[in-house]
Amino acid sequence: MTDRERPSDWQLYRRLISYVLPYWYLFALSIAGYVVYSIGNVLLADLMQFLLDSLNESDKAESGLVARAAYALLDAGDMTRLEFARIGVPIAMIVLAFTRSMGYFAGNYFMNHVARNLIHQLRIELFDKMQLAPSSYYDNNSQGVLISKITYNVEQITGAATKALKVVVGEGLTVIGLLGYLFYLNWRLSLVFMLVAPCIAVVVSVVGKHFRRYSRRIQDSMGDVTQVSNESIGGYREVRLFGGQAQQSARFAAASEYNRNQSLKLAFVDAFSTPVIQTMLSIALGALVWFALNPEILSGFSAGSLVAFLTAAGLLGKPIRQVSSIQSIIQRGLAAAEDIFAQLDLDDEQDTGIYRVERARGDIVLRDVSFTYPGTTQEVLSGLNLSIRAGEAVALVGRSGSGKSTLIQLLARFYPLQNGDITLDGVSIADYELANLRRQLAMVSQDVTLFQDSVINNVAYGDLSGASREDVIAACQSAHALEFIERLPDGLDTELGDDGGGLSGGQRQRLAIARAILKDAPVLILDEATSALDNESEHRIQRALDTIMRNRTSIVIAHRLSTVERADRIVVMDAGRIVAAGSHEELLAEGGLYAQLYHQEFSD
């Protein structure tokens, strides 16, 4: 994304505000709390006028805001101004302190409420978007980067939406209140202090551009850190077996070092901007005191009002400094919001079909299907033609990279067709409603995915969650999984670890087979479904597969002879084309690629 295409700060703020609108009442309560807090800050300065002018028995002792309220609410009787101040000032101090604290509490709590709701909604939308994203989205983004977007990037918005928003609103209202009080006391003198405002705005603007640039780099580097961490932790066996600890450590150190450098650059700009702004404020305050002590101007002030004016001017330093220093957090949040909104604006997986069927027969036809993966130029499938009858078991064999798995991904519409057509029961799969099409398919792959949940919820997953316990047990029994499930601590209710941690490869694959059996779809896809099983387990599973393959269309990708030779027809693929088809005996007799693969890989 070029700088010209990047949204402006205001566009990002406006979009973030749209997430706040449903909670406008909480936001209004927060603003009300901060208004009370800022008014309390102003009245603390005004309290000084009440105190000092009462000490001097000045005629202006009753002219201040706090003084007027005190004289209106309390009966002064025949007390002197000092005697009345002895009662009124302590009471005013207690009331102001309590009121300010309650305003601060309300502002903070309700603003946090709004911010956490905003973050929660953004996180859910981003996660749901990833669930609907096309396969090419996952091809272009590593797992670590995607996880970093949900965790780190969203948390950066938390800083902008919580801490930054509290400071901007709370301290910003305090600045407005104090400036208003200064103008109330002496508007000409207050203009001196306003001269520094454009200079501060220029510093904040220049520094903000650096903050945004470094924030983007930090986000990208956090994705790299997460990716290396996921790879190293998830593949710890391979790392140790092949002695890759030093290599992974070097990769992680490089990613972390880049993140550290960018964070230090951001910290430098942040730290440098604060003393610059403080110096500007000190100059303005010094000029203000110089003008205020001019005899002509002093004549318009009582001692109390002069001290109140200077106190209010001095109190401006802290909130202005805090508002300006929060720029780094705001820019980190905006950089994160920019990335998250870019993800949310991506197109979903294509689903323009409207055709629905309760249960397909299972007739599959491929006509002149050609395919190239997005972002590449090499054709994976080229002019493929294949017809599979309902109830037929077809085995796809060929060298690695011949296009077998790609054909399956196209059938499940993980990628849109580029050339040619695939039909199911005579209807183009592009015309099927996507969810309905995938209900017609059950798949058992070599890479089994299990979730950190109970065994029963892993088998009865997704659309199958309504299955009865008896049906789940029957599916597990058919998959020869019940024997090891019963040995688990809580049987079907045993909680599995991450991705089925604690189970062997064969046990994990038998649970996947049970899931496919329970789905009872008319089209069954077996992609190296018995690869993780030993010979004895494979023999037993094969009998279960023979049972569920009966009376349904089955597409089998396998390297094991025992799986392939049972197929009604074997289709041999090479370089994205079909080079031969027939029975096991026919293909062996031809002496072509199948016979070559048989002698190399299919012999038991």
Side-chain angles (χ1 to χ4, degrees), residues 147-156 218-219 222 332:
I147 292 174
S148 179
K149 292 180 187 298
I150 295 177
T151 54
Y152 180 78
N153 289 14
V154 173
E155 279 304 317
Q156 295 310 297
I218 291 171
Q219 285 174 190
M222 279 304 301
R332 280 201 295 269

Side-chain angles (χ1 to χ4, degrees), residues 30-31 34-39 41-42 104 111 163-181 315-326 330:
S30 175
I31 296 297
Y34 281 128
V35 167
V36 170
Y37 171 72
S38 61
I39 290 175
N41 287 332
V42 172
Y104 186 78
M111 189 63 74
K163 183 178 179 182
L165 205 54
K166 285 191 297 184
V167 171
V168 169
V169 175
E171 303 299 338
L173 287 174
T174 298
V175 170
I176 293 172
L178 288 172
L179 285 175
Y181 182 67
L315 289 175
L316 273 170
K318 177 178 174 289
I320 289 177
R321 185 171 64 252
Q322 286 194 321
V323 170
S324 60
S325 65
I326 210 70
I330 292 176

Side-chain angles (χ1 to χ4, degrees), residues 201-387:
V202 170
V203 173
V204 170
S205 176
V206 172
V207 167
K209 294 178 182 178
H210 291 284
F211 282 150
R212 181 74 69 87
R213 181 169 65 252
Y214 295 139
S215 296
R216 292 192 192 105
R217 293 176 183 175
I218 291 171
Q219 285 174 190
D220 293 340
S221 62
M222 279 304 301
D224 295 336
V225 169
T226 308
Q227 176 62 21
V228 177
S229 302
N230 283 347
E231 289 178 351
S232 301
I233 295 171
Y236 74 94
R237 294 184 181 89
E238 287 77 4
V239 171
R240 295 177 185 181
L241 187 63
F242 289 94
Q245 293 97 325
Q247 182 177 340
Q248 292 303 107
S249 294
R251 289 182 61 203
F252 184 84
S256 184
E257 174 72 12
Y258 182 76
N259 178 269
R260 183 183 73 96
N261 289 338
Q262 299 309 310
S263 297
L264 286 175
K265 289 179 181 178
L266 187 143
F268 173 81
V269 176
D270 189 17
F272 182 76
S273 64
T274 300
V276 170
I277 292 173
Q278 283 181 319
T279 302
M280 291 180 179
L281 289 172
S282 299
I283 293 171
L285 191 59
L288 190 66
V289 172
W290 186 82
F291 279 107
L293 296 180
N294 185 301
E296 294 181 4
I297 296 178
L298 273 176
S299 61
F301 278 116
S302 66
S305 60
L306 176 63
V307 171
F309 186 90
L310 295 177
T311 300
L315 289 175
L316 273 170
K318 177 178 174 289
I320 289 177
R321 185 171 64 252
Q322 286 194 321
V323 170
S324 60
S325 65
I326 210 70
Q327 177 81 338
S328 63
I329 297 177
I330 292 176
Q331 289 302 326
R332 280 201 295 269
L334 289 179
E338 180 183 333
D339 177 74
I340 289 172
F341 290 147
Q343 306 302 310
L344 294 178
D345 291 338
L346 293 174
D347 293 331
D348 291 342
E349 190 176 29
Q350 291 183 13
D351 186 14
T352 56
I354 57 174
Y355 185 78
R356 295 173 56 86
V357 63
E358 186 65 28
R359 184 178 178 86
R361 296 190 308 275
D363 285 309
I364 299 172
V365 178
L366 289 81
R367 296 189 183 91
D368 298 320
V369 174
S370 297
F371 182 75
T372 301
Y373 280 103
T376 65
T377 57
Q378 184 177 358
E379 202 170 48
V380 182
L381 296 178
S382 180
L384 206 67
N385 288 281
L386 177 64
S387 179

Side-chain angles (χ1 to χ4, degrees), residues 395 397 564 569-572 579-596 598:
V397 300
V564 172
R569 186 158 44 113
I570 299 172
V571 175
V572 185
V579 296
S583 66
H584 172 65
E585 292 77 12
E586 290 171 345
L587 292 173
L588 279 181
E590 285 182 8
L593 178 60
Y594 181 79
Q596 180 184 344
Y598 170 74

Side-chain angles (χ1 to χ4, degrees), residues 443-444 448 450 507-517:
M443 180 184 293
V444 181
V448 176
L450 295 177
Q507 291 171 335
R508 296 170 71 252
Q509 207 147 29
R510 275 183 271 179
L511 287 183
I513 292 172
R515 186 189 293 162
I517 293 173

Side-chain angles (χ1 to χ4, degrees), residues 70-118:
Y71 277 102
L73 297 174
L74 300 174
D75 183 12
D78 57 355
M79 289 185 289
T80 65
R81 291 186 175 88
L82 179 58
E83 290 173 336
F84 182 77
R86 189 180 178 190
I87 298 172
V89 170
I91 293 176
M93 290 175 65
I94 295 172
V95 172
L96 285 177
F98 176 77
T99 304
R100 285 177 69 249
S101 62
M102 293 307 296
Y104 186 78
F105 164 78
N108 266 310
Y109 175 74
F110 290 116
M111 189 63 74
N112 270 296
H113 207 309
V114 172
R116 295 316 305 184
N117 281 321
L118 183 153

Side-chain angles (χ1 to χ4, degrees), residues 136 158 321 534:
S136 57
T158 305
R321 185 171 64 252
D534 54 41

